[in-house]
């Protein structure tokens, strides 16, 4: 290398090949960058060897040994090949071939070997190879495994950053780091997949094949073309929702095939199935990952939410939404099965999204002081939990009803009973349209069949303390599981309430023996697996032996708990083996248990006074007659479950209950035996109880909740009780009931609606009218249909004129030959769809009829009375001035909802809105004369034969079209082109423009026929072209509308009407 300086360098850092160059510059010996690697090896040694040498002599001897040379060889200036050489340790590729450990002992100090890492020692020896060829290049050195990776080097700095973030004192550095974090761009992959967790799951299946199979499964005898295609571009979530919706309607073709009624519908049921499938697809595409039914119809959800809101407001509650976020507290004991979503604010605060509707509201109550000590509130909103895939948070739709009251102002048991009463009223919303009764003498259970699990947390804790159960979380959880298994009454006992004959008594004794054997196995497993002490095992066996016979009556179950705890306490008091401390502990636990049992008894009495009586108790002979409350679903029974615990810790320290809904197929048909075993047979629809402790947990320290700043005062913790509903589970049950197996036992239309498997069509759809044309919901008449819809909207009548997912999505999408797609269908098909969807009216708009007579046609798709015809699709001509009032009258006669009628505007408002619309239409009286080959026909010359009917139809159609044509000329600005030419020439010009286009004025036959008017014809062509461009600019690009104009002959005072199409 020409840039390398020869004969320069410090002796100890010089490579062996440099020594001869330093003594004899004329020598041809040369060196390269490998000499720098040798010097690097010496520098690395000194960097690792931080201990300074006492004298220069000691340093010289150390570096000489490091170089692998003797002192004399260096002083004599021996050549490299003459100097003492060591055995090579590395190949030219950097592989170790020599005994590097022996070389390390020979060339490194002893203390150096003990301190410096082995990879550093190998690296130094590699750089100090005497042969330049065996030393590493810079590239080899950087790629070598002997050098630590970049991550290992940055670990130190990473630890420093983490220490800065965790130190609350380093505010400035903390804010700088956070600023950089928020400035970090979001990766494209995250932007693409963030809200597509359901789509990712759906992509794991063959969605295209399943969608095609689902579409084929709904075909019937009148199936023509379904409204959606399995090749339609939709997200994975939308496809999955459409498949699910079509799967619920797989039997629709079986119901609609054959018969007069089926012939009248002409394939409408299959079309309704695809309409609802597209609605589900739209909901899933927008809402994404939600609980319950994927793609649940928003109208079903809204209907349920409105019904629940009415119940809550009936109890005097107002809608108050708790905060969306709360700061994460290190002492926050609120935990859940799913992790809460945590957010990082720009200021560095760690916040939590609400994981339920109770926690954040409890925090607001704790900070509200007296302002939040007396109120009833409800809320229907979404809660959020962390997504397992780390994408968009999982959304859970919930409803909450809460009572906050000072304990001194009300009896707590009645407030708790009121929350359970609200629960019973909400459960009645899940009742099917037709009452279903299950007979299990003496019990008679109505659908929905559900039961109430109830416990008192302090009762369970007091009993475990009485049993001397250690406070270990694992051991106590094991005991709670045993409590649930053996003390709670399972729903299978609903089948065993018949009178106790001798045979049943013998069977009961056998069951008792089997349960005792099962108890021994459970305790043995708990001792072995969960390390429950032997002493606790004996006391558990004594306590649980009282529960070998399950009790469906809650008061009887409390009596058994009382007897079991009393026996344990009496044994402790009378025992001589227990000291005074154990006896005091036993007494305090027994007193606490008695207090909790008393609380539960008071609650049961309060529930009875409010009319909440379990079905298992209603049929007892000794039970006084109880008046059944309308719109109230009674629990089948109340189970006292000592092992019941909430997965979250919101409801703690007091009452806690769960509503468990049983499926209607829980009992086998024709048998009185359960269809499933206890454990997977029910759905938790709601939970509730006391959460005073949660409010206390969020109460800040110090003088809080008081207006007195100088004195230490604080607002009292109020009584807090509430119930939380899981709407996703409720909606899922509603969909299951809509597709019940007994749907065939109804009228044809009702069976047809049930076969679609959608709950919305069991009741009236919010839309009361569809505004269509003769060809369906096409684009050509969109403007006229919008005008009619505006008229009905102003009258308070809900209607729709577009094909959208809310009402009429996928109405026979017809593909025209030119590739343009329009929404088209026959009026009969639309009427059939409306009849199934409970949309009572169809307004048919015909432009010529609207402009000539300011009228529309009206069809009623549903029967006006129970005795009326099923399909009354006869048309009637209705003037616009009376359309809204006519619909209002018919809707009023069929509606019992006074509140709805009050919301409709009066007739004066309807008439005023109609007059505004009528002003835009002119009435033109046109008489048509039909000229045939044999004679002409007018309104005076009529013939009474079959020919006259056909001619009359043609004449009427011609009158309507000409009326529409003339009205269009009046409504729109029609230009007049004045030309100073004879009218004969003007007529020829008009014919040429119509058939050959405006270009014919310059190059066509007309230009040859009238050469004397060449300049005038050219200017006329320019004028018409500018006029057409102006009209085209005022319209939408996709619209191809004709341009009408008058050609006026000034000299003859006559005109010709022509039409130009571009």
């Amino acid at each position: 290398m020409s840039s390398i300086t020869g004969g320069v360098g410090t002796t100890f850092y010089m490579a062996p090949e440099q020594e001869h160059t330093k003594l004899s510059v004329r020598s041809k010996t040369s060196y390269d960058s490998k000499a720098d690697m040798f010097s690097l090896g010496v520098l690395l040694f000194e960097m690792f060897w931080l201990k300074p040498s006492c004298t220069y002599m000691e340093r010289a001897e150390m570096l000489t040994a490091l170089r692998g040379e003797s002192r004399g060889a260096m002083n004599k200036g021996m050549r490299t090949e003459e100097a003492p050489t060591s055995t090579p340790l590395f190949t030219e590729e950097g592989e170790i071939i020599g005994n590097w450990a022996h070389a390390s002992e020979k060339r490194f100090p002893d203390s150096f070997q003990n301190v410096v890492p082995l990879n550093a020692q190998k690296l130094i020896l590699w750089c100090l190879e005497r042969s330049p060829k065996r030393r590493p290049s810079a590239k080899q050195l950087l790629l070598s495994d002997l050098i630590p990776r970049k991550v290992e080097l940055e670990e130190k700095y990473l630890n420093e950053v983490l220490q800065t973030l965790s130190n609350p004192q380093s505010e400035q550095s903390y804010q700088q780091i956070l600023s950089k974090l928020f400035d970090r761009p979001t990766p494209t992959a995250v932007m693409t997949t963030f809200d597509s967790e359901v789509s990712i799951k759906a992509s794991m299946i063959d969605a295209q094949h399943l969608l095609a199979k689902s579409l084929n499964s709904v075909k019937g005898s009148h199936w023509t073309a379904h409204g959606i295609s399995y090749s339609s571009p939709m997200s994975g979530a939308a496809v999955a929702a459409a498949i699910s919706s079509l799967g619920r309607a797989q039997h629709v073709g079986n119901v609609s095939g054959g018969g007069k009624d089926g012939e009248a519908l002409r394939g409408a049921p299959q079309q309704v199935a695809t309409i609802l499938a597209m609605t589900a697809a739209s909901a899933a595409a927008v809402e994404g990952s939600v609980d319950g039914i994927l793609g649940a119809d928003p109208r079903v959800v809204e209907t349920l939410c409105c019904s629940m809101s009415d119940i809550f407001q009936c109890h005097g509650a107002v809608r108050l939404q708790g905060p969306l976020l709360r700061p994460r507290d290190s002492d926050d004991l609120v935990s859940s099965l799913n992790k809460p979503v945590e957010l990082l604010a720009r200021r560095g605060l760690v916040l939590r999204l609400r994981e339920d509707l109770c926690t954040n509201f409890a925090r607001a109550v704790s900070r509200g002081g007296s302002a939040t000590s007396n109120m009833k509130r409800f809320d229907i909103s979404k809660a959020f939990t962390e997504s397992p895939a780390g994408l968009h948070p999982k959304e859970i739709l919930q409803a909450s009803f809460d009572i906050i009251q000072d304990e001194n102002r009300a009896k707590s048991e009645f407030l708790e009973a009121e929350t359970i009463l609200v629960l019973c009223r909400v459960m009645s919303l899940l009742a099917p349209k037709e009452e279903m009764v299950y007979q299990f003498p003496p019990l008679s259970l109505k659908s929905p069949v559900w039961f109430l699990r109830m416990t008192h947390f302090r009762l369970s804790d007091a009993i475990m303390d009485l049993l001397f159960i250690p406070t270990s979380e694992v051991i106590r959880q094991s005991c709670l599981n045993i409590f649930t298994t053996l003390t709670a009454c399972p729903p299978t006992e609903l089948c065993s309430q018949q009178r106790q004959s001798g045979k049943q008594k013998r069977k009961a004794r056998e069951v008792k023996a089997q349960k005792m054997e099962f108890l021994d196995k459970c305790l043995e497993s708990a001792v072995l697996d969960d390390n429950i002490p032997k002493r606790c095992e004996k006391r558990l066996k004594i306590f649980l032996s009282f529960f070998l016979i399950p009790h469906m009556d809650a008061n009887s179950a409390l009596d058994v708990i009382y007897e079991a705890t009393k026996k344990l306490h009496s044994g402790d008091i009378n025992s001589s083996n227990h000291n005074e401390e154990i006896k005091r502990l036993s007494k305090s636990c027994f007193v606490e248990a008695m207090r909790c049992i008393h609380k539960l008894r008071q609650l049961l009495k309060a529930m009875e006074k409010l009319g909440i009586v379990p079905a298992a108790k209603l049929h007892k002979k000794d039970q006084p007659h109880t008046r059944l409350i309308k719109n109230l679903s009674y629990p089948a029974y109340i189970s006292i479950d000592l092992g019941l615990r909430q997965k979250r810790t919101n409801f703690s320290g007091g009452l806690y209950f769960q509503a468990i809904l049983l499926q209607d197929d829980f009992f086998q048909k024709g048998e009185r035996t359960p269809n499933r075993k206890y454990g997977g047979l029910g759905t938790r629809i709601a939970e509730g109880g006391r959460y005073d402790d949660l409010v206390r947990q969020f109460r800040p320290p110090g003088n809080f909740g008081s207006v007195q700043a100088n004195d230490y005062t604080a607002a009292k913790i109020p009584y807090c009780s509430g119930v939380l509903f899981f709407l996703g589970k409720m909606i899922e049950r509603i969909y299951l009931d809509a597709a019940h197996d007994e749907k065939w036992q109804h009228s044809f239309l009702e069976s047809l609606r049930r076969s679609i498997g959608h709950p919305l069509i069991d009741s009236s759809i919010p839309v009361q009218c569809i505004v269509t044309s003769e060809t369906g919901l096409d684009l050509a008449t969109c403007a006229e249909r919008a005008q009619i819809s505006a008229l009905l909207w102003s009258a308070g009548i809900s209607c729709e004129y577009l094909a959208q997912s809310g009402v009429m999505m996928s109405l026979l999408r017809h593909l025209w030959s030119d590739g343009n797609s329009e929404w088209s269908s026959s009026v009969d098909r639309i009427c059939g769809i409306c009849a199934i969807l409970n949309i009572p009216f169809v307004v048919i708009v015909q432009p010529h009829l609207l402009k000539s007579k300011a009228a529309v046609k009206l069809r009623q798709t549903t029967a006006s009375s129970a005795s009326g015809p099923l399909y009354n699709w006869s048309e009637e001509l209705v003037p616009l001035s009376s359309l809204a009032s006519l619909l209002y009258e018919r809707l009023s006669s069929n509606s019992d909802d006074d509140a709805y009628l009050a919301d409709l505007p009066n007739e004066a408002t309807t008439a005023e809105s109609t007059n505004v619309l009528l002003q835009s239409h002119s009435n033109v009286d046109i008489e048509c004369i039909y000229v045939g080959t044999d004679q002409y026909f007018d309104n005076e010359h009529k013939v009474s034969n079959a020919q006259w009917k056909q001619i009359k139809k043609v004449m009427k159609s011609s009158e309507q079209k000409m009326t529409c044509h003339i009205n269009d000329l009046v409504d729109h600005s029609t230009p007049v082109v004045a030309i100073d030419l004879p009218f004969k020439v003007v007529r020829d010009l008009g014919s040429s423009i119509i058939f050959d286009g405006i270009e014919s004025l310059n190059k066509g036959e007309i230009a040859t026929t009238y050469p004397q008017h060449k300049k005038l014809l050219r200017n006329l062509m320019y004028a018409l072209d500018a006029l057409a461009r102006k009209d085209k600019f005022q319209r939408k690009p996709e619209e191809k509308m004709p341009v009408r104009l008058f050609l006026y002959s000034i000299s003859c005072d006559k005109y010709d009407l022509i039409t130009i199409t571009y």
Side-chain angles (χ1 to χ4, degrees):
M1 298 175 64
S2 58
S3 61
I4 294 180
T5 305
V8 178
T10 306
T11 302
F12 289 117
Y13 299 96
M14 292 174 61
E17 62 268 24
Q18 289 180 285
E19 296 175 0
H20 180 71
T21 306
K22 183 177 180 181
L23 298 175
S24 178
V25 180
R26 296 179 181 179
S27 175
K28 296 181 180 180
T29 304
S30 61
Y31 59 91
D32 55 13
S33 59
K34 294 293 186 72
D36 296 331
M37 292 296 106
F38 190 92
S39 303
L40 177 62
V42 180
L43 288 173
L44 288 174
F45 171 79
E46 290 187 321
M47 290 173 65
F48 277 101
W49 188 243
L50 301 178
K51 183 179 178 180
S53 302
C54 296
T55 62
Y56 177 80
M57 181 62 68
E58 291 177 352
R59 180 171 178 269
E61 291 177 353
M62 186 185 304
L63 295 179
T64 300
L66 175 68
R67 295 168 58 91
E69 299 173 341
S70 63
R71 183 65 178 170
M74 293 185 64
N75 292 337
K76 294 178 180 178
M78 299 174 63
R79 294 184 180 184
T80 303
E81 57 272 13
E82 298 176 354
T85 58
S86 59
T87 304
L89 299 177
F90 295 84
T91 63
E92 295 182 4
E93 290 77 18
E95 297 180 0
I96 300 177
I97 58 175
N99 189 354
W100 75 272
H102 176 71
S104 177
E105 293 176 359
K106 184 177 179 181
R107 301 169 69 171
F108 295 144
D110 295 339
S111 56
F112 183 87
Q113 300 177 51
N114 299 330
V115 175
V116 179
L118 295 180
N119 61 332
Q121 297 182 36
K122 294 178 183 179
L123 183 64
I124 293 172
L125 292 176
W126 190 15
C127 293
L128 294 177
E129 279 283 355
R130 297 193 65 81
S131 174
K133 295 180 180 181
R134 299 182 185 275
R135 296 180 205 142
S137 63
K139 184 176 182 180
Q140 283 180 303
L141 199 64
L142 293 175
L143 297 176
S144 172
D145 294 336
L146 299 177
I147 293 182
R149 298 295 91 198
K150 186 178 181 182
V151 176
E152 298 176 13
L153 292 174
E154 292 180 348
E155 184 176 0
K156 177 182 178 181
Y157 303 105
L158 178 61
N159 291 332
E160 293 180 357
V161 172
L162 295 177
Q163 185 177 2
T164 301
L165 289 173
S166 60
N167 184 8
Q169 303 300 327
S170 55
E171 183 65 25
Q172 184 176 0
S173 302
Y174 182 60
Q175 293 296 333
Q176 291 177 354
I177 295 174
L178 287 179
S179 178
K180 293 297 181 183
L181 287 175
F182 276 93
D183 292 341
R184 179 176 178 266
T186 304
T188 306
V190 176
M191 296 290 293
T192 305
T193 62
F194 178 71
D195 52 356
S196 58
E197 182 178 356
V198 178
S199 300
I200 293 174
K201 294 179 181 178
S203 64
M204 299 178 183
I205 61 175
D206 189 358
Q208 182 175 354
H209 173 72
L210 289 178
L211 182 58
K213 184 177 179 181
S214 301
L215 286 169
N216 293 330
S217 67
V218 298
K219 288 185 178 180
S221 58
H222 297 294
W223 183 252
T224 54
H226 46 68
I228 58 178
S229 171
Y230 56 81
S231 60
S232 300
M234 291 190 293
S235 65
V239 173
I243 292 173
S244 177
S245 179
L246 291 172
R248 292 189 290 270
Q250 59 182 339
H251 300 298
V252 67
N254 301 335
V255 182
S256 59
K260 181 180 179 181
D261 292 336
E263 189 69 28
L265 290 174
R266 299 184 182 89
Q270 292 85 353
Q271 200 64 39
V272 171
T274 58
I275 290 172
L276 298 175
M278 283 303 298
T279 303
S282 302
V286 174
E287 295 182 352
S289 177
V290 294
D291 61 327
I293 294 292
L294 178 63
D297 196 312
R299 294 164 295 182
V300 176
V301 180
E302 182 65 22
T303 301
L304 178 61
C305 293
C306 290
S307 300
M308 295 181 70
S309 297
D310 293 340
I311 293 175
F312 299 151
Q313 292 174 356
C314 180
H315 283 255
V318 295
R319 186 162 190 170
L320 291 174
Q321 192 173 59
L324 180 64
L325 298 168
R326 75 175 187 274
R328 186 188 64 183
D329 190 355
S330 58
D331 296 331
D332 193 349
L333 301 179
V334 178
S335 61
S336 64
L337 183 64
N338 298 318
K339 294 182 179 179
V341 181
E342 295 185 346
L343 307 175
L344 185 64
R346 185 173 288 273
R347 291 182 57 190
L349 299 176
V350 180
L351 306 174
R352 279 186 174 180
L353 276 173
R354 59 174 177 233
E355 63 268 34
D356 54 58
L357 300 187
C358 177
T359 307
N360 288 12
F361 174 71
R363 187 176 187 275
V365 171
S366 71
R367 283 161 160 69
S370 300
T372 56
S373 294
N374 296 278
M375 64 176 176
K376 287 184 182 179
R377 79 104 193 192
F378 77 94
D379 187 20
I380 303 176
S381 301
K382 288 182 178 179
F384 305 90
T385 57
E386 193 176 63
S387 166
L391 302 176
H392 188 282
K394 183 179 179 181
E395 301 176 1
I396 306 173
L397 185 60
Q398 296 179 349
S400 176
F401 175 83
D402 301 275
I403 300 177
I404 311 298
Q405 192 77 26
D406 286 344
E407 230 176 322
N408 297 333
R409 300 187 182 182
K411 292 185 177 181
S412 61
E413 62 270 15
F414 279 92
L415 302 182
E416 294 169 350
E418 183 180 354
T419 60
I420 298 178
L421 177 62
V422 170
L423 169 62
C424 295
R425 295 191 62 185
V426 172
M427 293 299 292
S428 66
L429 300 177
L430 301 180
K433 188 176 181 181
E434 294 187 3
E435 187 179 85
M436 300 177 63
V437 182
Y438 301 91
Q439 298 293 343
F440 298 95
L443 298 183
S444 178
L445 304 178
K446 295 182 180 180
S447 183
V449 181
W450 63 284
F451 67 96
L452 197 65
R453 298 175 69 191
M454 184 182 297
T455 188
H456 198 291
F457 286 153
R458 293 177 183 172
L459 174 61
S460 302
D461 293 338
I463 291 175
M464 284 191 288
D465 291 339
L466 184 62
L467 295 172
F468 302 155
I469 303 296
T471 56
S472 170
E473 184 177 352
V474 176
I475 296 178
R476 293 227 161 186
Q477 185 59 49
S478 176
C479 290
L480 291 174
N481 294 337
I482 296 175
F483 284 169
T484 296
T485 306
L486 296 172
T487 66
C489 181
T492 52
E493 291 297 317
L494 290 170
C495 311
S496 305
Q497 297 303 305
Q498 57 267 34
R499 295 179 180 178
Q500 297 295 320
S501 62
K503 185 177 179 180
Q504 276 94 26
K505 290 180 179 179
R506 287 193 301 271
K507 187 177 180 180
R509 287 194 294 267
E510 294 175 0
V511 172
K512 186 175 180 180
Q514 292 175 0
K515 205 164 185 181
M516 192 67 187
E517 183 179 354
F518 178 70
L519 170 60
D520 294 335
K521 291 181 179 180
C522 289
L523 294 178
E524 182 180 356
S525 175
V527 171
L528 295 177
D529 298 338
D530 301 321
N531 299 322
I532 292 182
K534 282 288 185 178
R535 183 179 62 170
C536 300
E537 179 192 6
K538 295 179 181 179
R539 296 177 69 86
L540 272 169
K541 188 172 183 178
I542 296 173
F543 177 77
L544 295 174
S545 61
F546 284 80
F547 298 91
L548 298 180
I549 298 178
H551 296 274
M552 299 195 71
D553 181 62
N555 284 297
S556 299
L558 292 176
D559 292 338
V560 174
I561 296 174
Y562 169 76
E563 294 296 334
T565 53
K566 182 180 179 181
K567 183 175 182 179
L568 287 173
H569 173 59
S570 300
D572 294 336
I573 296 298
N574 299 325
S575 175
S576 59
N577 297 327
H578 296 330
N579 54 31
E580 292 299 325
E581 183 178 355
I582 293 179
K583 292 182 179 181
R584 284 195 301 269
L585 174 62
S586 177
K587 182 179 179 180
S588 62
C589 294
F590 179 72
V591 171
E592 178 67 15
M594 293 304 100
R595 189 186 67 84
C596 297
I597 292 175
H598 178 68
K599 284 279 187 182
L600 291 176
R601 290 189 189 277
Q602 286 183 318
L603 173 61
L604 294 173
K605 290 180 180 179
M607 291 171 58
E608 290 186 11
K609 290 182 179 180
L610 295 184
I612 307 171
V613 181
K617 197 172 181 179
L618 282 173
H619 302 279
K620 286 189 175 182
K621 293 184 178 181
D622 57 347
Q623 177 68 21
H625 178 70
T626 303
R627 182 178 60 87
L628 298 181
I629 302 176
K630 187 180 179 181
N631 298 328
L632 194 68
S633 178
Y634 296 92
Y637 68 98
I638 298 176
S639 173
I640 303 297
D641 188 348
L642 295 177
L644 182 61
R645 280 289 192 272
Q646 189 191 24
K647 294 179 180 179
R648 298 179 300 275
T649 57
N650 295 0
F651 302 102
S652 60
L655 173 70
Y656 176 64
F657 58 84
Q658 290 181 350
I660 306 298
L661 178 67
L662 300 177
Q663 301 297 337
D664 286 340
D665 60 349
F666 169 63
F667 304 103
Q668 295 179 354
K669 296 180 180 179
E671 299 181 10
R672 294 172 183 168
T673 56
N675 196 15
R676 302 176 187 175
K677 293 183 178 180
Y678 183 68
L681 50 87
T683 303
R684 180 169 55 98
I685 295 294
E687 63 181 6
R690 294 278 297 267
Y691 56 92
D692 308 20
D693 289 350
L694 183 62
V695 174
R696 185 176 292 105
Q697 172 188 322
F698 286 123
R699 175 62 60 87
N703 185 18
F704 189 81
S706 173
V707 296
Q708 300 181 18
N710 298 327
D711 300 332
Y712 181 81
T713 57
K716 183 181 178 182
I717 298 295
Y719 160 86
C720 304
S721 179
V723 57
L724 190 67
F725 299 91
F726 305 102
L727 269 64
K729 301 297 182 183
M730 299 178 68
I731 294 169
E732 187 175 358
R733 174 56 183 260
I734 291 174
Y735 270 88
L736 289 176
D737 286 341
H740 198 270
D741 292 338
E742 297 182 2
K743 57 195 171 192
W744 314 108
Q745 301 177 4
H746 308 280
S747 64
F748 170 74
L749 187 58
E750 187 64 24
S751 297
L752 191 60
R753 290 169 177 166
R754 290 294 185 93
S755 67
I756 297 174
H758 195 283
L760 185 65
I761 56 180
D762 284 342
S763 57
S764 298
I765 276 191
V767 173
Q768 299 162 332
C769 178
I770 295 296
V771 182
T772 181
S773 68
E774 287 183 312
T775 58
L777 303 178
D778 55 359
L779 299 178
T781 61
C782 182
E784 289 81 359
R785 288 186 283 116
Q787 287 180 312
I788 303 301
S789 299
L791 170 66
L792 297 178
W793 291 332
S794 62
I797 299 174
S798 59
C799 64
E800 182 54 70
Y801 71 98
L802 293 176
Q804 47 92 19
S805 61
V807 184
M808 304 294 284
M809 187 64 174
S810 74
L811 277 177
L812 289 179
R813 189 171 191 177
H814 181 71
L815 298 178
W816 299 98
S817 58
D818 59 356
N820 295 328
S821 61
E822 286 195 20
W823 296 95
S824 176
S825 177
S826 66
V827 176
D828 290 342
R829 176 65 59 80
I830 292 179
C831 290
I833 293 172
C834 291
I836 297 174
L837 290 176
N838 270 328
I839 300 177
F841 298 103
V842 173
V843 175
I844 306 168
V845 178
Q846 296 176 324
H848 64 274
L849 190 62
L850 184 65
K851 294 181 179 180
S852 61
K853 297 184 178 181
V856 293
K857 293 181 179 180
L858 178 65
R859 287 190 186 185
Q860 185 167 349
T861 63
T862 57
S864 57
S865 62
S867 60
L870 183 61
Y871 310 115
N872 183 19
W873 293 354
S874 59
E875 294 181 357
E876 54 182 317
L877 191 65
V878 180
L880 290 181
S881 57
S882 58
L883 175 61
S885 59
L886 178 63
L887 292 179
Y888 173 82
E889 179 182 355
R890 294 185 179 179
L891 289 172
S892 302
S893 61
N894 295 335
S895 177
D896 297 330
D897 191 353
D898 296 336
Y900 164 74
L901 299 179
D903 292 337
L904 293 176
N906 53 34
E907 295 184 2
T909 306
T910 303
E912 182 181 353
S913 303
T914 306
N915 293 334
V916 175
L917 183 61
L918 291 175
Q919 291 176 2
S920 61
H921 300 284
S922 302
N923 293 327
V924 180
D925 189 11
I926 293 180
E927 180 182 1
C928 179
I929 300 175
Y930 179 82
V931 179
T933 56
D934 298 332
Q935 67 179 87
Y936 74 92
F937 300 89
D938 56 15
N939 292 328
E940 297 180 358
H941 297 79
K942 303 178 182 179
V943 291
S944 57
N945 52 28
Q947 183 184 9
W948 168 246
K949 293 182 179 181
Q950 182 66 25
I951 293 174
K952 184 179 179 181
K953 184 177 181 180
V954 174
M955 293 173 62
K956 184 177 181 180
S957 176
S958 301
E959 290 176 357
Q960 292 175 346
K961 291 181 179 179
M962 287 306 302
T963 301
C964 180
H965 185 64
I966 294 174
N967 283 332
D968 189 61
L969 291 176
V970 175
D971 291 345
H972 297 84
S973 176
T974 304
V976 177
V977 179
I979 311 173
D980 192 9
L981 291 175
F983 183 68
K984 181 178 182 301
V985 179
V986 172
R987 290 294 301 269
D988 292 340
L989 291 177
S991 301
S992 178
I993 293 171
I994 292 173
F995 295 105
D996 299 328
I998 61 176
E999 294 83 1
S1000 62
L1001 298 177
N1002 188 27
K1003 299 180 180 180
E1005 183 179 353
I1006 192 69
T1008 306
T1009 305
Y1010 301 103
Q1012 67 274 22
H1013 304 305
K1014 182 177 180 179
K1015 292 183 178 179
L1016 192 147
L1017 293 180
R1018 185 174 64 250
N1019 291 334
L1020 175 62
M1021 180 184 68
Y1022 293 156
L1024 294 179
D1025 183 70
L1027 188 64
R1029 291 176 181 274
K1030 178 182 178 181
D1031 185 80
K1032 185 177 181 181
F1033 176 76
Q1034 294 175 351
R1035 301 180 186 272
K1036 295 181 179 180
E1038 64 272 12
E1039 292 183 349
K1040 295 183 179 181
M1041 301 295 292
V1043 178
R1044 298 183 180 90
L1045 55 89
F1046 291 99
L1047 291 179
Y1048 177 65
S1049 172
I1050 300 176
S1051 58
C1052 298
D1053 193 21
K1054 296 180 180 180
Y1055 67 89
D1056 187 18
L1057 178 64
I1058 66 172
T1059 303
I1060 306 174
T1061 304
Y1062 286 87

